[in-house]
Amino acid sequence: MTMPSSAHPARTVRVDLANRSYDILIGPGLIETAGREIAARRPGARLAIVADETVAALHLDRLEASLAGAGLASTRILVAPGEGSKSFPTFERVVEALIDAKIERGDLVVALGGGVIGDLAGFAASVVRRGVDFVQVPTTLLSQVDSSVGGKTGINSAHGKNLVGAFHQPVLVIADTSALDTLPAREFRAGYAEVAKYGLIDDAAFFSELESNWREVFEGGRARLDAIETSCRAKAAIVGRDERESGERALLNLGHTFGHALEKATGFSQRLLHGEAVALGMAQAFRFSAKLGLCAPKVAERVEDHLAEVGLPTRLQHIAGGVGPVSDLMAAIAQDKKVARGSLTFILARGVGGAFIAKDVDPAAVQAFLEEEATPA
Ligand code: NAD
Ligand code: GLY
């Protein structure tokens, strides 16, 4: 059903989850064919599109035209752009709007936007009428390679990131790579951190390729499509084996325990985007691994060099305005979901492509590491 719309034909990655399996369609111009893809899977469904105002101004008309062309009726629900929309007040407004739009079982919620919209709209879909299906139409690099895949949905609490949510798999992901052409450079770079993450977790060859070819990925075309497909295949494989994160899915949190604490310390603001926090957190995870004697210091330097070369932050000192005291970072780490009965779980690494889940990490060692990181060399 997927149509080649240019020199770069669309690709399909399958997420295998028994009766919750779905396709990820990746390619340029897919918003134009979204109506046909959705109608083929869910003829006659009513649709409610959730988008942020920025994405709506750029891409919503195209999506609505595509849906109407396939005979699908849709309504739109718009929210403010930014992490602030992953909040209880916005969640309530979206849920009420979905009910008001008479979205019922058999109908579809469509999340058009980045990870904020996917997480928010997916969570709303998971609770309205005890759960309606949803489609992800991710429009940032980060959401195309990570957040739209795997079914983690949710909002933030005053206590920290993503502390309220549900597992709710989409029924389809449509990643239109042309949408990335309107993405600000800083946002694209932030999403690249999650691409590099897949190499660092368990694919050293992919990381080496990125070290050589990252400029082509940033330029677009085939290299970008290849990197998005490789990332989606990596995520689909892990999610297929461990949907609910009872084991290896935790590897996808590489850089996130430090990163989430940094996002909280910077007030979930434009001072540090999620992907930037992940980049810094991954650099820290490798330096911490080196400090614990798990990997050679030159491995940590290699990781830092690549992230810094693409323009991502790798040191606390790179965060405009700083991050406050280490005690605040430690408090945020203690609230993270990766804490089991007080002992800290981190994703550490024995090398590039050699990430592993480390349980029972000594909080005093983390504190000493962060004190060192906070002291300029
Ligand atoms: P985002 O959704 O805030 O989008 C970033 C910015 O780009 C926004 O201002 C948005 O309006 C704008 N934008 C989006 N698409 C655009 C386009 N095509 N052209 C121009 N502007 C565009 O942020 P994000 O980086 O996509 O996602 C970050 C969120 O994803 C965080 O909340 C993070 O916790 C979450 N996340 C979730 C998962 C998961 O598995 N559910 C995984 C990783 C990250
Ligand atoms: N981004 C982490 C996960 O999807 O599990």
Side-chain angles (χ1 to χ4, degrees), residues 97-140:
L98 290 173
I99 295 167
D100 192 47
K102 303 196 167 41
I103 294 299
E104 296 173 1
R105 302 247 177 103
D107 293 334
L108 288 169
V109 174
V110 179
L112 173 71
V116 163
I117 293 301
D119 284 9
L120 172 72
F123 185 36
S126 80
V127 297
V128 163
R129 300 184 203 282
R130 297 200 177 85
V132 296
D133 287 342
F134 84 116
V135 173
Q136 291 267 21
V137 185
T139 61
T140 61

Side-chain angles (χ1 to χ4, degrees), residues 73-359:
S74 66
T75 54
R76 45 164 78 182
I77 299 168
L78 302 191
V79 305
E83 188 71 30
S85 282
K86 274 175 62 171
S87 64
F88 278 109
T90 310
F91 174 69
E92 180 181 2
R93 194 164 69 70
V94 171
V95 165
E96 292 292 0
L98 290 173
I99 295 167
D100 192 47
K102 303 196 167 41
I103 294 299
E104 296 173 1
R105 302 247 177 103
D107 293 334
L108 288 169
V109 174
V110 179
L112 173 71
V116 163
I117 293 301
D119 284 9
L120 172 72
F123 185 36
S126 80
V127 297
V128 163
R129 300 184 203 282
R130 297 200 177 85
V132 296
D133 287 342
F134 84 116
V135 173
Q136 291 267 21
V137 185
T139 61
T140 61
L141 179 61
L142 185 140
S143 55
Q144 294 192 353
V145 300
D146 189 356
S147 61
S148 66
V149 176
K152 280 189 182 175
T153 71
I155 58 173
N156 303 323
S157 128
H159 292 285
K161 269 294 273 194
N162 299 336
L163 291 176
V164 180
F167 283 97
H168 189 51
Q169 298 291 343
V171 294
L172 177 67
V173 179
I174 300 173
D176 181 345
T177 52
S178 317
L180 302 180
D181 295 342
T182 60
L183 193 63
R186 183 181 173 197
E187 294 288 354
F188 187 90
R189 200 181 304 120
Y192 179 85
E194 303 276 15
V195 175
K197 182 183 79 176
Y198 295 109
L200 293 174
I201 290 172
D202 65 358
D203 191 346
F206 182 47
F207 189 75
S208 298
E209 248 174 64
L210 291 172
E211 285 176 308
S212 309
N213 299 335
W214 67 268
R215 285 183 185 79
E216 283 87 335
V217 175
F218 277 63
E219 273 159 26
R222 182 170 178 163
R224 180 183 291 180
L225 219 54
D226 287 346
I228 295 172
E229 182 184 359
T230 301
S231 301
C232 287
R233 284 197 190 286
K235 180 145 189 187
I238 290 182
V239 169
R241 292 190 294 264
D242 179 20
E243 182 183 9
R244 295 275 173 147
E245 201 170 305
S246 50
E248 73 168 303
R249 183 166 178 168
L251 292 171
L252 296 171
N253 298 326
L254 175 64
H256 285 60
T257 304
F258 288 126
H260 284 170
L262 296 172
E263 280 187 274
K264 182 157 195 294
T266 49
F268 302 114
S269 69
Q270 288 297 107
R271 283 170 57 209
L272 190 69
L273 303 179
H274 175 73
E276 294 171 339
V278 169
L280 209 160
M282 292 194 299
Q284 289 191 312
F286 273 82
R287 283 196 294 273
F288 187 42
S289 299
K291 189 175 160 65
L292 296 176
L294 295 164
C295 73
K298 67 175 184 332
V299 172
E301 279 163 31
R302 177 182 169 193
V303 172
E304 176 170 1
D305 285 351
H306 179 57
L307 297 172
E309 189 180 16
V310 309
L312 286 161
T314 56
R315 296 272 170 179
L316 294 181
Q317 292 72 24
H318 297 163
I319 300 174
V323 283
V326 166
S327 55
D328 286 1
L329 294 179
M330 288 303 293
I333 285 170
Q335 265 295 351
D336 202 72
K337 295 188 298 315
K338 292 122 213 149
V339 177
R341 293 188 190 85
S343 81
L344 300 179
T345 298
F346 274 80
I347 309 307
L348 299 178
R350 297 195 177 86
V352 166
F356 67 98
I357 302 163
K359 298 193 169 152

